[in-house]
Amino acid sequence: MRISNEKMGIAMKRVMMKVAYEGTAYCGWQVQPNGLSVEEVLNTALSELLGEDIKVIGASRTDAGVHARGNIAVFDTEASIPGDKISFALNQRLPDDIVIQGSREVAADFHPRHCESEKTYEYRILNTTFNDPIRRNFTHFYYVPLDVSLMREGASYLVGEHDFSSFCAPKTQVNSFVRNIIAIDIFKEEEEIVIRIKGNGFLYNMVRIIAGTLIEVGRGMIEPAGVKAILEAKDRTKAGPTAPARGLTLMNIELI
Amino acid sequence: MRISNEKMGIAMKRVMMKVAYEGTAYCGWQVQPNGLSVEEVLNTALSELLGEDIKVIGASRTDAGVHARGNIAVFDTEASIPGDKISFALNQRLPDDIVIQGSREVAADFHPRHCESEKTYEYRILNTTFNDPIRRNFTHFYYVPLDVSLMREGASYLVGEHDFSSFCAPKTQVNSFVRNIIAIDIFKEEEEIVIRIKGNGFLYNMVRIIAGTLIEVGRGMIEPAGVKAILEAKDRTKAGPTAPARGLTLMNIELI
């Protein structure tokens, strides 16, 4: 597919894209001095495609190894190519592990991190005796049998608006540790335990620390009611470990 | 884990293993002059583990890029390590994309290709507008919408004992092209169309040619009843293309 790079005197427009990627090979979303990021790959491919210096703004700056089915990125361009055609043209220039799922023009002042949104993450635990090579990059293999009903009971204390200091990586600088978890669903899909969390904002490593804590609950090391005590302690050292990145996928960002 | 390699004067025994792998990085099951095979990786790791020259025999010699959740391999050893412990010890020495799912001792004359068995394969088609990077190595991305009910009707003609010459790679040397398909189930899982085929033997590329033909049926290029005509023609050129390896997984081999 040939795309014309000629400027046709058209004014600047802002384009929003839905971005899916396997995070295994990347140092995360955000540009880093050491390692290739998803953001950098998008900037390079878009700049080549559109003949401009493009810098995308991501809604969620996912960590190294974390996957996305629906992250959001926006960028500004003067190019004449219609916003909804950019996904198809850009996919021709992207590596196999990043695929744009759609694109469209949005308001010039739309910013994906300064708007109301609901994010849904899934954390997948492969709870079997042996790892599955086909799912190894997309699930956290954990061979100690976990009790899903205990995990559900523990998770119930996290739903709602709380100070999540205990579930945030140390030294994170934010104005407030209060976040609102709208729902946590925990269910089994064959041998996988899926923790689906929906909220309107998450602290650094929050979903992975929740997953790591609920695994401790599921194996009987923490009582379900202990999750309430951990929350109230506002102390990261009281919660469980940060579960590995590979089990985490940003499923969807709903703009509200 | 330390495994003793000392011979304890124990007689030769035959061990059967259930083998799972992501086939993406391999030239297939069978040892080839150009490229790394699953068989070669197993031979090397087992020979190092057991201190003997081990050669495995596989039940199904899957092609390059084809995956397995339950292939079967057997080998003979004089080592003292119990058959059911070999899976755990061997997994420590295997790359991430090959995982033994269990092992046990079997009769000395058991041969995985000279016994009655039922094999189940799944062929997965990702039928969406955009590819999914997370599933790209495990599904065949096909963006033309497919009609599952037409595919089911077409598949119905293949069930039972037939001469499958039309569904076999050219120049395959076998005594007979007659095989028995026990069942074909076609169903949707989210945006994936799964073709699940169970039979007691398959010709070279047979499942992939069936998948390629049913895709033609699903998009309306071949009438469902055309599958019966293709079968009766006993001519490979009448069937659809060989669908890509990445969508195919050997799910299970049931010894009967």
Side-chain angles (χ1 to χ4, degrees), chain A residues 20-22 67 69 87-88 91 96-97 99-102 130-136 138 190-191 249, chain B residues 20-22 67 69 87-88 91 96-97 99-102 130-136 138 190-191 249:
Chain A
Y21 46 89
E22 173 179 352
H67 317 292
R69 284 177 77 163
S87 53
F88 297 96
N91 280 335
D96 284 352
D97 51 8
V99 182
I100 308 301
Q101 303 290 306
F130 297 100
N131 201 349
D132 176 358
I134 292 174
R135 290 180 278 184
R136 72 189 188 283
F138 311 106
E190 292 181 54
E191 318 92 331
T249 301
Chain B
Y21 46 89
E22 172 179 354
H67 317 293
R69 284 176 76 163
S87 53
F88 297 95
N91 280 334
D96 284 352
D97 52 7
V99 182
I100 307 301
Q101 303 289 306
F130 297 100
N131 201 348
D132 177 356
I134 292 174
R135 289 180 278 184
R136 72 189 187 283
F138 311 107
E190 292 182 53
E191 319 92 331
T249 301

Side-chain angles (χ1 to χ4, degrees), chain B residues 105-148:
Chain B
E105 205 170 324
V106 289
D109 63 348
F110 172 77
H111 190 292
R113 288 201 299 276
H114 304 152
C115 66
E116 295 284 304
S117 70
E118 290 175 3
K119 292 179 185 175
T120 302
Y121 282 93
E122 279 186 9
Y123 196 92
R124 289 183 174 261
I125 302 155
L126 183 65
N127 198 24
T128 49
T129 310
F130 297 100
N131 201 348
D132 177 356
I134 292 174
R135 289 180 278 184
R136 72 189 187 283
N137 288 334
F138 311 107
T139 56
H140 169 38
F141 168 58
Y142 198 83
Y143 67 88
V144 179
L146 301 175
D147 183 324
V148 173

Side-chain angles (χ1 to χ4, degrees), chain A residues 1 8 11 13 18 27 29 39 44 49 88 99 102 136 141 145 155 157 163 167 172 199 207 232 239-241 251 254:
Chain A
M1 200 187 313
M8 300 180 69
K13 65 185 170 202
K18 186 173 174 186
C27 66
W29 174 272
E39 190 180 27
T44 304
L49 173 69
F88 297 96
V99 182
R136 72 189 188 283
F141 167 58
Y157 297 102
D163 181 314
F167 296 90
T172 301
V207 180
E232 287 166 355
M251 298 300 287
E254 206 175 329

Side-chain angles (χ1 to χ4, degrees), chain B:
Chain B
M1 197 188 312
R2 290 275 306 157
I3 302 300
S4 166
N5 285 334
E6 288 165 55
K7 305 285 157 48
M8 299 181 67
I10 292 166
M12 186 80 85
K13 65 186 168 201
R14 181 157 283 198
V15 175
M16 180 173 82
M17 307 188 296
K18 186 173 172 185
V19 188
Y21 46 89
E22 172 179 354
T24 311
Y26 298 98
C27 66
W29 174 271
Q30 204 163 11
V31 171
Q32 304 268 342
N34 319 311
L36 189 65
S37 65
V38 176
E39 189 180 27
E40 188 180 338
V41 172
L42 291 175
N43 285 344
T44 304
L46 277 169
S47 298
E48 285 174 13
L49 173 69
L50 302 173
E52 296 167 79
D53 186 27
I54 303 285
K55 298 264 185 243
V56 301
I57 306 167
S60 187
R61 288 165 288 187
T62 55
D63 278 346
V66 173
H67 317 293
R69 284 176 76 163
N71 205 343
I72 283 178
V74 302
F75 63 91
D76 294 323
T77 178
E78 292 178 346
S80 60
I81 174 171
D84 61 341
K85 296 283 183 273
I86 283 177
S87 53
F88 297 95
L90 185 57
N91 280 334
Q92 306 296 319
R93 294 170 176 263
L94 289 174
D96 284 352
D97 52 7
I98 304 179
V99 182
I100 307 301
Q101 303 289 306
S103 59
R104 64 180 173 89
E105 205 170 324
V106 289
D109 63 348
F110 172 77
H111 190 292
R113 288 201 299 276
H114 304 152
C115 66
E116 295 284 304
S117 70
E118 290 175 3
K119 292 179 185 175
T120 302
Y121 282 93
E122 279 186 9
Y123 196 92
R124 289 183 174 261
I125 302 155
L126 183 65
N127 198 24
T128 49
T129 310
F130 297 100
N131 201 348
D132 177 356
I134 292 174
R135 289 180 278 184
R136 72 189 187 283
N137 288 334
F138 311 107
T139 56
H140 169 38
F141 168 58
Y142 198 83
Y143 67 88
V144 179
L146 301 175
D147 183 324
V148 173
S149 59
L150 290 179
M151 294 171 76
R152 277 198 198 110
E153 193 185 333
S156 68
Y157 297 102
L158 300 172
V159 177
E161 194 169 273
H162 302 284
D163 180 315
F164 283 97
S165 301
S166 294
F167 296 90
C168 179
K171 298 181 190 167
T172 301
Q173 297 196 337
V174 285
N175 293 326
S176 164
F177 290 92
V178 174
R179 294 293 183 274
N180 180 28
I181 293 186
I182 298 160
I184 306 186
D185 293 315
I186 305 181
F187 53 95
K188 286 200 88 161
E189 275 187 7
E190 292 182 53
E191 319 92 331
E192 290 178 36
I193 297 168
V194 185
I195 304 171
R196 184 180 288 160
I197 306 189
K198 187 174 183 172
N200 51 21
F202 293 92
L203 297 162
Y204 189 54
N205 280 352
M206 183 167 148
V207 180
R208 290 167 58 189
I209 299 169
I210 289 174
T213 304
L214 292 178
I215 287 170
E216 297 293 294
V217 173
R219 68 180 290 191
M221 301 297 281
I222 296 176
E223 294 280 312
V227 176
K228 187 167 188 284
I230 292 167
L231 197 61
E232 286 166 356
K234 296 176 193 168
D235 176 356
R236 169 68 187 92
T237 67
K238 303 298 183 196
T242 306
R246 70 173 67 86
L248 185 61
T249 301
L250 170 59
M251 298 300 287
N252 185 46
I253 301 174
E254 206 176 326
L255 303 171
I256 52 179

Side-chain angles (χ1 to χ4, degrees), chain A residues 204-252:
Chain A
Y204 187 53
N205 279 355
M206 183 167 148
V207 180
R208 289 167 57 190
I209 299 169
I210 289 174
T213 304
L214 293 179
I215 287 170
E216 297 292 295
V217 173
R219 66 181 289 191
M221 301 297 282
I222 297 176
E223 294 280 311
V227 175
K228 187 167 189 285
I230 292 167
L231 197 61
E232 287 166 355
K234 296 174 193 169
D235 176 356
R236 170 66 187 93
T237 66
K238 303 297 185 198
T242 306
R246 70 172 68 86
L248 185 61
T249 301
L250 171 59
M251 298 300 287
N252 185 44

